[in-house]
Amino acid sequence: MALTRIGLAGLAVMGQNLALNIAEKGFPISVYNRTTSKVDETVERAKREGNLPVYGFHDPASFVNSIQKPRVIVMLVKAGAPVDQTIDTLSSYMEKGDCIIDGGNEWYENTERREKAMAELGLLYLGMGVSGGEEGARNGPSLMPGGSYEAYKHIEDILLKVAAQVPDSGPCVTYIGKGGSGNFVKMVHNGIEYGDMQLIAEAYDVLKSVGNLSNHELQQAFSEWNKGELLSFLIEITADIFGIKDDKSDGYLVDKVLDKTGMKGTGKWTVQQAAELSVAAPTIASSLDSRFLSGLKEERVRASKVFQSGGFSDILGGQPVDKAKLIDDVRQALYASKICSYAQGMNLIRAKSIEKGWDLKLGELARIWKGGCIIRAIFLDRIKKAYDRNPELPNLLVDPEFAKEIVDRQAAWRRVICLAINHGISTPGMSASLAYFDTYRRESVPANLVQAQRDYFGAHTYERVDMPGSFHTEWFKIAKQSKI
């Protein structure tokens, strides 16, 4: 057998699909998995899907030796210890100049640690975010490789063909930057995804709980939204979900799904990093909190009985809702909230880039997210153009086009949140986005009082608006004397 162009280790759903994608693009690929049945299953699937050049190996030595030099091996295994174990297994058969790529959702500092360890062995290392789920991996994901530039050049020709292709902006891949930047960018991408999903869920809740829209009406509304400014993968699949009937009983499947959200951890990492970097990310944080609260199903059921006579739905006196008006208001509120969520994610990436010296290009990140990934949306083209207009843009909110769009939607945004509050419907994501906007746009905020309190009880000092320097006041003594 002739040597293959690349290897892939780890044949769970993502690994198997990415291997078939690579083979389909004309690159013979060797595959390996500790559980050998997965290897056979992948090879068999490759035959069924067009006799693709996928070659399976049951032992690591044969696998590594089947790849042409300098060898390039992609790992798609669970983050953490399994990655280290796979590296130990494979690297013992690899030679100087060979390259390992971790395609999992790994913590960026682990990637930086491994890159240094591999460099000592003479091996090149990349941490590559892969977004798009099963479908994206098979037919074209968004790829975020970071680490050794030399390693990237070894595999660039493959990645350019394997990535999602967007007609007006090219393949959804670029060299992100040094160190763990690829993993960090993928992590924030997932945090933005958390925010997006939460905002869509809130739009659904308001339309269903306040507007009494049926699943059929919800499907129509979301399908219509997907033809305009909200055109995106998540809006598209949401419309699909509302139309699927339950195959096990009467009614629609969405109504039978338990309201308890799972998570893998990247959203939590994003919020932790925002706190570490002192970057406000309230929309993303509220989406994480909402997942935590959703997990308290039994407690929420008990609480609903305690507050059954709360009278929330009676506050508006049962006034009828204009469905068409509500649908349009919610559309505008969702879009304005989404701008704030993406602004937070982009600011977080910029802050980390400055801290680490990565020199990340925010417009280029928006470009590679336009296809393949879960947050792909027409909206990302506007973000790219905003950063093209001004690469030093401090916040998406102050880009002239986005600023106008938010102002135009502001009244509808406020109406939706007030309506939800008066009906006892929580909209934490939309509310957090509006609070973020309202705080960011104000010249003065009440932080002067907080700083005065800090100086009162902890002598933390404060600055003044009318003269330079740091000041401390004996607030307690003055207050005590004034009470005598």
Side-chain angles (χ1 to χ4, degrees), residues 280 282 340 395 397 410 413-414 431-447:
C340 292
N395 193 304
L397 299 184
Q410 193 180 170
W413 196 8
R414 296 183 192 282
S431 302
S433 286
L434 182 58
Y436 178 78
F437 168 67
D438 278 339
T439 304
Y440 190 72
R441 70 175 177 79
R442 289 184 67 194
E443 186 179 342
S444 298
V445 294

Side-chain angles (χ1 to χ4, degrees), residues 121-384:
L121 299 176
L123 300 178
L124 307 176
Y125 197 82
L126 275 179
M128 181 171 72
V130 179
S131 178
E134 182 179 348
E135 182 71 17
R138 180 65 184 86
N139 299 308
S142 174
L143 299 168
M144 296 155 250
S148 161
Y149 184 67
E150 194 183 339
Y152 173 72
K153 293 311 284 184
H154 281 333
I155 195 176
E156 185 179 35
D157 61 328
I158 298 178
L159 299 185
L160 288 172
K161 286 193 173 162
V162 164
Q165 309 291 317
V166 175
D168 62 344
S169 59
C172 293
V173 61
T174 191
Y175 173 70
I176 301 293
K178 296 176 191 165
S181 59
N183 292 119
F184 191 88
V185 165
K186 174 58 164 58
M187 176 197 77
V188 176
H189 161 287
N190 286 19
I192 292 170
E193 182 185 306
Y194 273 52
D196 251 0
M197 293 170 76
Q198 177 62 28
L199 292 170
I200 291 169
E202 291 172 21
Y204 155 63
D205 197 8
V206 171
L207 292 176
K208 182 184 178 186
S209 303
V210 180
N212 293 312
L213 268 72
S214 66
N215 284 316
H216 178 65
E217 288 171 318
L218 286 164
Q219 184 182 29
Q220 285 182 313
F222 275 79
S223 297
E224 199 57 40
W225 289 356
N226 202 44
K227 295 173 186 171
E229 64 201 0
L230 289 170
L231 170 64
S232 63
F233 173 70
L234 284 170
I235 294 289
E236 179 189 342
I237 67 167
T238 302
D240 288 346
I241 286 167
F242 291 131
I244 292 174
K245 297 275 183 74
D246 186 7
D247 62 347
K248 293 180 174 57
S249 65
D250 294 337
Y252 289 84
L253 183 55
V254 68
D255 298 322
K256 308 291 168 59
V257 176
L258 183 68
D259 54 330
K260 198 171 174 180
T261 312
M263 68 187 94
K264 293 283 180 70
T266 43
K268 191 199 294 188
W269 289 348
T270 303
V271 174
Q272 286 169 336
Q273 278 296 294
E276 287 281 331
L277 293 160
S278 302
V279 172
T283 312
I284 298 170
S286 71
S287 70
L288 186 66
D289 288 339
S290 295
R291 293 196 183 197
F292 294 153
L293 282 164
S294 79
L296 305 177
K297 178 65 176 178
E298 294 76 15
E299 287 182 44
R300 288 189 288 110
V301 169
R302 289 197 294 272
S304 71
K305 292 179 172 60
V306 172
F307 297 105
Q308 211 160 25
S309 57
F312 302 111
S313 58
D314 302 330
I315 293 170
L316 297 183
Q319 293 172 352
V321 174
D322 180 336
K323 283 189 182 181
K325 174 75 174 147
L326 181 63
I327 289 168
D328 193 57
D329 276 359
V330 171
R331 173 186 61 79
Q332 295 184 65
L334 177 55
Y335 186 72
S337 299
K338 189 179 168 87
I339 293 171
C340 292
S341 185
Y342 279 70
Q344 293 159 30
M346 289 302 192
N347 286 352
L348 178 52
I349 291 172
R350 176 198 280 109
K352 196 68 181 183
S353 176
I354 291 167
E355 182 194 78
K356 301 285 287 184
W358 285 338
D359 192 29
L360 303 184
K361 305 287 186 281
L362 300 183
E364 183 67 353
L365 300 184
R367 181 191 71 76
I368 67 166
W369 289 345
K370 279 172 63 180
C373 71
I374 304 301
I375 63 170
R376 62 184 181 266
I378 197 169
F379 168 76
L380 284 155
D381 202 43
R382 296 182 184 190
I383 295 179
K384 181 188 182 301

Side-chain angles (χ1 to χ4, degrees), residues 19-29 42-55 138:
L20 294 169
N21 182 354
I22 291 168
E24 193 170 64
K25 298 302 186 297
F27 301 100
I29 183 169
T42 306
V43 171
E44 191 52 45
R45 203 180 140 195
K47 282 180 188 155
R48 284 200 314 273
E49 295 186 17
N51 219 17
L52 302 174
V54 174
Y55 302 92
R138 180 65 184 86

